Amino acid sequence: MGRKRDPTNLVKSGPGRKTKKQKPPQIPNALKNANTEDDDSEKKLSSRQKTRVKKRIQKKEEKMEIKKKKKEEKLQQKTKKESQKPGKFARAPVVSKKRKVEESEEESDDDEEDEDSDEEETKPVKGYSDENKAWLKPSSKQPLMDSDESDDGESDGVAGDDFDDVGLSDDEEEDEDDSEESGDEDLLPVEKEAKKLEKKREKNKKLAEAELQTNIMDMEKYTLPSGQEVEKEAAQPPDITMVQQRIKEVMHVLADFKERREPGRSRQDYVRQLRSDFCTYYSYNDFLMEKIMSLFPLEIQEFLEANEVPRPVTIRTNTLKTRRRDLAQALINRGVNLDPIGKWSKVGLIVFDTQVPLGATPEYLAGHYILQGGSSFLPVMALAPQENERILDMASAPGGKTTYIAALMKNTGTIFANDANADRAKAIVGNTHRMGITNTIVCHHDGRVFPKIMKGFDRVLLDAPCSGTGVISKDEEVKMNKDERDILRCAHLQKELLLSAIDCCDAKSKTGGYIVYSTCSVLSEENEGVIEYALKKRNVKLVPTGLDFGREGFVNFQQNRYHPHMKLTRRFYPHTHNMDGFFVAKLKKFSNKIPGTGNTSADGEAEDESSEVTDKKSSEKNTKQTKNVKNSTDSDSDDEEEKGKSSKKDKSKNKWLEKKSNKKKFKPGQFKKFKSAEKSKK
């Protein structure tokens, strides 16, 4: 079978194979005593460390010899200079006691440093070698070149100006490179490559700075391309980088035209070249670019750059259903990053980032907010609708402004939302139903004919159709499609719509009588020109819009001179206000009469006057008829006698009336001569 274990005689098991292979425990260096530190210093150096120590000692000896040679050469140069100076005796170099002591100290310090470096080799530090450590952190005992030179200058009595510029010489720089190379031996290859990349970056920076300086010097005297060069560029596809560089150079010349211009070139040449470059770089047509450059002579590039970037997404809270704070909290919980649009609006929110489509959230479907541009808040704020008023929105699709007016009126009064396009009017119906608005009537009529349909409104809002030069970031086709004919056509339509809007408004309204005109255009032909036309054709005046920000409208623009109250209008630009280009003007109607005619645009004063005149004429006719009836009721006999008398009286009256009428025809004094001539004929 096998051996049976005797439980009485237990044999202890010895160490196994693994325990035999294990080394005795080592005490860490931090826990060792001071005596153990002495033992560590007495450890033997490896062959590699010994070779390093020898190299270091040799290099230090070579450096000391080079330093001594340099010192001797400098002393010789000083003595030569002093001997060459007139009026001064040549002086031999005097070696002071201090210098001897310092030299002896240097030798002793070098020996100590060698010992220290040998000890440090046993404890290498990651990232850089021991030699680099000595260069980065020089010991206080180690003498530097600058200190030696200063001592020599003081001892010899020579001024500090005779020395060379402070800095490392070529030999010292070579020594540094050698030391770095020797230190790089311990580094990993990745670390070596990183050092090389840093050196390349520093060199590239220096080169780039030098190139910029040369470019600035060249830009001060920039020469425009000749006609042949322009023709070559037109034949070939445009080089965008070259065009961009030319734009910068021409703008730089125009900033100080007198000093930087090319001789024989006028300002018009530079402006013409700049306009063509802008057209190629930003892809505008020449007509529209000329208009924009006349509007923004100093900030043209900022305006064009702003049109290349889309405007931020903004939403308006429906105060009929919720508050802005509650809506913001609900959208933040859904992953929408937003902020208030600004101090000028208590309803708007600007959206920076969203993880949810804003047109499909439960809050949107419940009618708590509507997607609306920040610039379209402004005309409604200028209109300032009051409760229980009768308001007309003449061009209201898709219904953003109409719903804002209804929210300000708190669903009281009546709003007529009109739009000429029946398909677009459907969007008004959808938005009004979704946002819970009950005081709005939707219709689609031509705005120019609306005064014949309905009049007597307290306030009228006209957001007129325009060329769209303020919303180029939304519709880039405007850059190339619009020409002078389109602008004039839009301006003519806007004038007709504004006159009809004024005719629809009632000047006798107790709370209103205001008309707000707005466009999403930047051109003066569609803004100030239309308002100037309305001021001449109707009894209206400009009134402050109530908007605290925005630029004033033009009073003088090129050859045009507008009404001085045009300052009360407001302009908004994408590069200054970060919203679509917009124009807002507010008019107050003070009379229902139409200047130059007896007609009126509403139930007004002229109609009352005409009715009074007709009433007077009819009363006079009635009195004459009653007199004739009374005369016919007398007896026949009396009638015959009275008729004879009355006929005589009537003849005399007629003669008197004829004489009176003739007097009016003749000048004073001529009627008597005419009368005497008639008597002589008889």
Side-chain angles (χ1 to χ4, degrees), residues 605-619:
E605 300 165 1
E607 289 181 355
D608 297 336
E609 289 178 2
S610 62
S611 62
E612 289 175 1
V613 172
T614 53
D615 291 335
K616 285 180 182 178
K617 289 180 180 178
S618 61
S619 63

Side-chain angles (χ1 to χ4, degrees), residues 72-234:
E72 289 175 358
E73 288 175 358
K74 286 180 181 179
L75 289 170
Q76 289 175 2
Q77 289 175 0
K78 289 174 193 175
T79 52
K80 285 179 182 179
K81 287 179 182 179
E82 288 177 358
S83 61
Q84 288 173 1
K85 287 178 182 179
K88 289 187 178 181
F89 297 102
R91 294 177 59 187
V94 180
V95 181
S96 61
K97 293 180 181 179
K98 289 181 181 179
R99 190 171 178 186
K100 289 180 180 179
V101 172
E102 285 174 0
E103 287 177 356
S104 61
E105 285 178 356
E106 284 176 5
E107 292 175 358
S108 61
D109 291 337
D110 292 335
D111 297 335
E112 289 175 1
E113 284 177 1
D114 294 337
E115 291 175 359
D116 295 335
S117 63
D118 296 339
E119 290 176 359
E120 286 173 0
E121 279 186 357
T122 57
K123 300 175 183 178
V125 181
K126 292 181 180 179
Y128 62 96
S129 63
D130 298 331
E131 291 182 4
N132 290 333
K133 191 190 292 184
W135 278 103
L136 292 169
K137 295 180 181 180
S139 61
S140 59
K141 295 179 183 179
Q142 186 177 359
L144 297 173
M145 286 293 292
D146 296 335
S147 62
D148 292 337
E149 288 174 2
S150 63
D151 293 337
D152 294 337
E154 289 175 2
S155 61
D156 296 337
V158 181
D161 296 334
D162 294 335
F163 290 101
D164 298 331
D165 294 332
V166 178
L168 295 171
S169 62
D170 296 333
D171 298 330
E172 289 172 350
E173 287 176 358
E174 288 175 2
D175 296 336
E176 282 185 354
D177 296 334
D178 295 336
S179 63
E180 287 175 0
E181 287 175 2
S182 62
D184 291 343
E185 290 177 359
D186 295 337
L187 296 175
L188 294 170
V190 178
E191 292 174 342
K192 290 178 184 178
E193 289 178 0
K195 280 190 174 183
K196 288 178 182 177
L197 287 171
E198 287 178 0
K199 289 178 183 178
K200 285 181 181 178
R201 285 174 186 170
E202 289 176 358
K203 288 180 182 178
N204 290 331
K205 281 182 182 178
K206 290 178 181 178
L207 292 170
E209 288 175 359
E211 286 177 1
L212 283 171
Q213 290 176 356
T214 54
N215 288 333
I216 290 165
M217 294 297 290
D218 294 337
M219 284 169 67
E220 289 180 358
K221 293 181 180 179
Y222 173 70
T223 56
L224 287 172
S226 61
Q228 294 178 354
E229 292 177 355
V230 171
E231 288 177 0
K232 286 182 181 178
E233 288 181 7

Side-chain angles (χ1 to χ4, degrees), residues 207-475:
L207 292 170
E209 288 175 359
E211 286 177 1
L212 283 171
Q213 290 176 356
T214 54
N215 288 333
I216 290 165
M217 294 297 290
D218 294 337
M219 284 169 67
E220 289 180 358
K221 293 181 180 179
Y222 173 70
T223 56
L224 287 172
S226 61
Q228 294 178 354
E229 292 177 355
V230 171
E231 288 177 0
K232 286 182 181 178
E233 288 181 7
Q236 297 175 355
D239 186 2
I240 293 171
T241 55
M242 187 180 71
V243 171
Q244 187 181 11
Q245 184 65 25
R246 192 191 296 150
I247 288 168
K248 289 180 182 178
E249 289 166 351
V250 173
M251 294 278 281
H252 180 72
V253 172
L254 290 172
D256 191 0
F257 185 70
K258 289 182 179 179
E259 294 183 358
R260 297 171 185 169
R261 73 185 183 94
E262 184 185 354
R265 292 279 192 171
S266 63
R267 184 182 287 274
Q268 292 179 355
D269 297 335
Y270 283 92
V271 172
R272 199 180 298 112
Q273 183 63 47
L274 183 64
R275 187 170 67 245
S276 66
D277 289 338
F278 276 143
C279 290
T280 55
Y281 189 73
Y282 293 103
S283 65
Y284 283 77
N285 61 8
D286 191 62
F287 166 76
L288 191 59
M289 182 55 66
E290 188 178 358
K291 289 284 185 186
I292 293 170
M293 287 181 75
S294 62
L295 281 167
F296 307 103
L298 299 176
E299 46 194 1
I300 173 67
Q301 199 164 7
E302 287 138 11
F303 177 78
L304 296 173
E305 287 289 340
N307 287 334
E308 299 299 314
V309 182
R311 301 277 77 75
V313 179
T314 54
I315 60 175
R316 180 181 60 80
T317 56
N318 184 13
T319 53
L320 295 173
K321 290 191 173 184
T322 185
R323 294 186 303 170
R324 185 170 71 169
R325 186 185 300 171
D326 299 337
L327 175 65
Q329 189 61 46
L331 292 175
I332 287 166
N333 293 337
R334 294 190 185 279
V336 181
N337 185 13
L338 47 81
D339 267 335
I341 196 170
K343 294 180 180 179
W344 54 272
S345 176
K346 296 180 180 179
V347 174
L349 290 167
I350 184 168
V351 178
F352 300 109
D353 186 21
T354 177
Q355 298 177 0
V356 182
L358 292 172
T361 59
E363 288 79 14
Y364 177 82
L365 298 172
H368 291 185
Y369 68 90
I370 186 171
L371 291 163
Q372 189 175 358
S375 56
S376 61
F377 293 10
L378 304 172
V380 180
M381 293 169 67
L383 187 67
Q386 304 298 318
E387 294 182 17
N388 299 313
E389 281 187 340
R390 199 157 168 257
I391 293 175
L392 170 65
D393 190 357
M394 191 170 277
S396 59
K401 298 180 185 67
T402 305
T403 53
Y404 193 9
I405 292 167
L408 292 173
M409 293 173 69
K410 297 178 182 177
N411 258 342
T412 60
T414 52
I415 302 169
F416 288 84
N418 177 62
D419 198 87
N421 191 348
D423 294 330
R424 295 191 71 197
K426 293 176 182 177
I428 306 169
V429 176
N431 283 319
T432 50
H433 281 302
R434 184 173 59 83
M435 302 189 79
I437 291 160
T438 57
N439 65 342
T440 302
I441 299 166
V442 181
C443 55
H444 60 91
H445 296 286
D446 188 357
R448 294 171 289 184
V449 190
F450 209 87
K452 297 177 182 177
I453 299 166
M454 193 176 293
K455 297 179 181 178
F457 291 98
D458 295 317
R459 296 169 197 260
V460 180
L461 174 63
L462 174 61
D463 186 17
C466 61
S467 60
T469 53
V471 289
I472 295 172
S473 59
K474 293 180 182 177
D475 185 10

Side-chain angles (χ1 to χ4, degrees), residues 437-661:
I437 291 160
T438 57
N439 65 342
T440 302
I441 299 166
V442 181
C443 55
H444 60 91
H445 296 286
D446 188 357
R448 294 171 289 184
V449 190
F450 209 87
K452 297 177 182 177
I453 299 166
M454 193 176 293
K455 297 179 181 178
F457 291 98
D458 295 317
R459 296 169 197 260
V460 180
L461 174 63
L462 174 61
D463 186 17
C466 61
S467 60
T469 53
V471 289
I472 295 172
S473 59
K474 293 180 182 177
D475 185 10
E476 292 187 354
E477 292 181 359
V478 176
K479 295 179 180 179
M480 298 300 293
N481 292 345
K482 300 299 176 184
D483 57 359
E484 189 173 6
R485 189 178 295 175
D486 295 327
I487 303 301
L488 294 174
R489 192 186 295 114
C490 286
H492 181 70
L493 176 63
Q494 288 158 1
K495 288 173 184 176
E496 290 180 337
L497 287 170
L498 183 55
L499 291 182
S500 64
I502 293 167
D503 294 342
C504 288
C505 187
D506 185 11
K508 292 184 176 181
S509 173
K510 294 180 181 179
T511 58
Y514 295 102
I515 304 100
V516 171
Y517 173 78
S518 64
T519 61
C520 54
S521 175
V522 178
L523 304 179
S524 62
E525 290 87 352
E526 300 180 74
N527 298 328
E528 286 86 357
V530 176
I531 298 295
E532 185 73 17
Y533 179 80
L535 292 172
K536 292 176 182 177
K537 294 291 181 181
R538 295 290 185 271
N539 290 320
V540 291
K541 61 180 180 180
L542 282 164
V543 172
T545 56
L547 301 171
D548 298 333
F549 67 108
R551 295 189 184 178
E552 295 179 350
F554 295 128
V555 178
N556 301 325
F557 181 72
Q558 292 181 341
Q559 72 275 10
N560 299 318
R561 299 292 177 269
Y562 299 115
H563 197 277
H565 288 171
M566 206 66 72
K567 289 182 179 179
L568 299 174
T569 61
R570 285 288 174 268
R571 282 176 160 269
F572 303 92
Y573 299 128
H575 64 285
T576 54
H577 306 101
N578 197 18
M579 59 175 66
D580 295 328
F582 225 74
F583 175 81
V584 180
K586 189 174 184 180
L587 298 166
K588 168 70 174 171
K589 189 174 182 180
F590 56 85
S591 175
N592 287 324
K593 288 183 181 180
I594 296 174
T597 60
N599 299 326
T600 57
S601 60
D603 299 331
E605 300 165 1
E607 289 181 355
D608 297 336
E609 289 178 2
S610 62
S611 62
E612 289 175 1
V613 172
T614 53
D615 291 335
K616 285 180 182 178
K617 289 180 180 178
S618 61
S619 63
E620 287 176 1
K621 288 180 180 178
N622 291 327
T623 53
K624 287 179 181 179
Q625 289 175 0
T626 53
K627 285 179 181 178
N628 294 327
V629 170
K630 284 180 182 179
N631 292 328
S632 63
T633 56
D634 294 336
S635 61
D636 296 334
S637 59
D638 294 333
D639 289 339
E640 289 176 358
E641 291 177 359
E642 287 176 359
K643 280 179 182 179
K645 292 178 181 178
S646 62
S647 61
K648 290 179 181 179
K649 288 180 181 179
D650 291 335
K651 287 178 182 178
S652 62
K653 280 182 182 179
N654 291 330
K655 287 180 181 179
W656 182 75
L657 289 169
E658 286 177 1
K659 288 178 183 179
K660 199 171 184 181
S661 63

